[in-house]
Amino acid sequence: SIEITLEVNPGTVEANRFSEYKAVGINRLSIGVQSFNDKYLKLLGRIHTSREAEKAISICKRAGFKNFNIDLMFGLPSQNTNDALLDLSTAFDQLPTHISWYQLTIEPNTAFSSNPPQIPNDDITWDMQKEGQEFLKHSDFHRYEISAYTKKKFASIHNTNYWEFGDYIGIGAGAHSKVTNASEGKIERYSRHKIPKRYIELAGSKAVITEKRLLNASEIPLEFMMNALRLTDGVPSKLFFERTGLSMDTIAKELKYAEKGGLLESHQNKIIPS
């Protein structure tokens, strides 16, 4: 069956549209909660409150969504391990089918990069991650990717396609696409104009594509591995040839080196991170 996910904010305005999203065929929501603690939401500059987040999840269920993800962050400014675990247990109580739980990273060109907050040190963040993963495991959430935890049979189809180096078409302002031309042995990446007004003006013309890049053969193994090695169970070795058109011999030296360093598990038919 087709899975159509929409990323939504838990603010009241958007939550009131959930029934309409369901009516037009969307069957999975990803709700950007980030934290159930108002103190951290304020520090992150979010405009919703924890109460609004819980209300939005309730509306999501009433609208008939059986499959939904809760997005959470850890390693927030001044956060401790107990607070991080409280966020997870609150999320668990909402009965989602999937939880995305990732560490806050300070990205360039953001408000945090120009005015960095005091974030927990590496030891504290490691404790949060370790204890959080134990909690999720005991709550029957399988970790199938670096930051993704799922109930049985509810792994995100869209994201799994990314991580398995599948193709995708991005439609809309700032959208990215990856398209493989198997007959010509080419992999191309596209990006569309990111300013919405200009995107609308250019829609339908070639000028809407701001960047079109053909991946060269030397880039492809790294592009494949950057995605595939995010998956905890790795990928079948044959997928490398299927998605890149390159022989396994191309990466034999690197695989051997990574195995020797204990970074990959030695397995005949799979490429699995240790």
Side-chain angles (χ1 to χ4, degrees), residues 43-103:
L43 284 168
L44 288 169
R46 303 288 161 167
I47 56 168
H48 66 272
T49 63
S50 55
R51 179 175 275 188
E52 282 179 315
E54 290 187 32
K55 190 180 170 191
I57 294 163
S58 170
I59 293 169
C60 156
K61 290 189 277 197
R62 278 208 309 276
F65 286 95
K66 303 275 191 290
N67 186 7
F68 68 94
N69 169 62
I70 293 177
D71 247 357
L72 286 177
M73 286 187 194
F74 69 96
L76 303 176
S78 76
Q79 190 179 37
N80 59 43
T81 303
N82 285 341
D83 284 348
L85 291 173
L86 188 57
D87 267 349
L88 279 180
S89 64
T90 308
F92 175 73
D93 291 343
Q94 309 299 316
L95 306 177
T97 46
H98 191 287
I99 293 176
S100 298
W101 190 55
Y102 47 96
Q103 184 182 341

Side-chain angles (χ1 to χ4, degrees), residues 54-233:
E54 290 187 32
K55 190 180 170 191
I57 294 163
S58 170
I59 293 169
C60 156
K61 290 189 277 197
R62 278 208 309 276
F65 286 95
K66 303 275 191 290
N67 186 7
F68 68 94
N69 169 62
I70 293 177
D71 247 357
L72 286 177
M73 286 187 194
F74 69 96
L76 303 176
S78 76
Q79 190 179 37
N80 59 43
T81 303
N82 285 341
D83 284 348
L85 291 173
L86 188 57
D87 267 349
L88 279 180
S89 64
T90 308
F92 175 73
D93 291 343
Q94 309 299 316
L95 306 177
T97 46
H98 191 287
I99 293 176
S100 298
W101 190 55
Y102 47 96
Q103 184 182 341
L104 172 68
T105 51
I106 309 297
E107 298 288 350
N109 306 317
T110 61
F112 276 175
S113 71
S114 55
N115 187 18
Q118 188 69 45
I119 54 176
N121 67 38
D122 289 348
D123 288 339
I124 294 171
T125 310
W126 173 245
D127 280 342
M128 283 180 196
Q129 183 171 313
K130 205 169 54 172
E131 292 192 34
Q133 284 169 353
E134 279 301 307
F135 171 82
L136 287 158
K137 192 177 177 181
H138 288 128
S139 306
D140 292 326
F141 277 90
H142 167 62
R143 185 192 193 197
Y144 68 105
E145 186 269 347
I146 288 173
S147 313
Y149 303 79
T150 183
K151 287 284 190 185
K152 206 172 183 180
K153 296 184 179 171
F154 283 102
S156 164
I157 294 172
H158 168 266
N159 287 359
T160 302
N161 176 58
Y162 268 152
W163 299 322
E164 291 179 349
F165 206 53
D167 284 352
Y168 47 90
I169 295 172
I171 300 165
H176 288 248
S177 307
K178 171 187 167 280
V179 180
T180 303
N181 184 331
S183 59
E184 292 181 28
K186 288 179 180 174
I187 298 176
E188 289 180 307
R189 288 197 178 279
Y190 304 85
S191 54
R192 295 173 193 268
H193 211 293
K194 60 184 177 188
I195 298 167
K197 189 171 183 286
R198 191 73 181 123
Y199 170 83
I200 291 165
E201 287 166 5
L202 297 171
S205 73
K206 285 183 179 176
V208 80
I209 306 283
T210 52
E211 192 184 351
K212 185 176 178 180
R213 195 164 69 84
L214 182 67
L215 293 183
N216 63 51
S218 64
E219 291 176 285
I220 291 172
L222 176 63
E223 289 255 350
F224 176 89
M225 291 300 175
M226 269 191 343
N227 290 287
L229 295 181
R230 293 179 65 96
L231 293 163
T232 53
D233 294 333

Side-chain angles (χ1 to χ4, degrees), residues 10-38:
T12 309
V13 174
E14 189 153 13
N16 289 334
R17 299 185 187 131
F18 288 177
S19 294
E20 292 165 45
Y21 297 156
K22 189 81 173 61
V24 295
I26 288 150
N27 55 11
R28 182 177 184 270
L29 291 185
S30 180
I31 306 171
V33 173
Q34 314 314 348
S35 175
F36 286 101
N37 185 317
D38 286 341

Side-chain angles (χ1 to χ4, degrees), residues 227-247:
N227 290 287
L229 295 181
R230 293 179 65 96
L231 293 163
T232 53
D233 294 333
V235 291
S237 302
K238 62 180 184 179
L239 192 74
F240 180 74
F241 172 70
E242 287 170 11
R243 295 285 153 94
T244 68
L246 300 172
S247 150

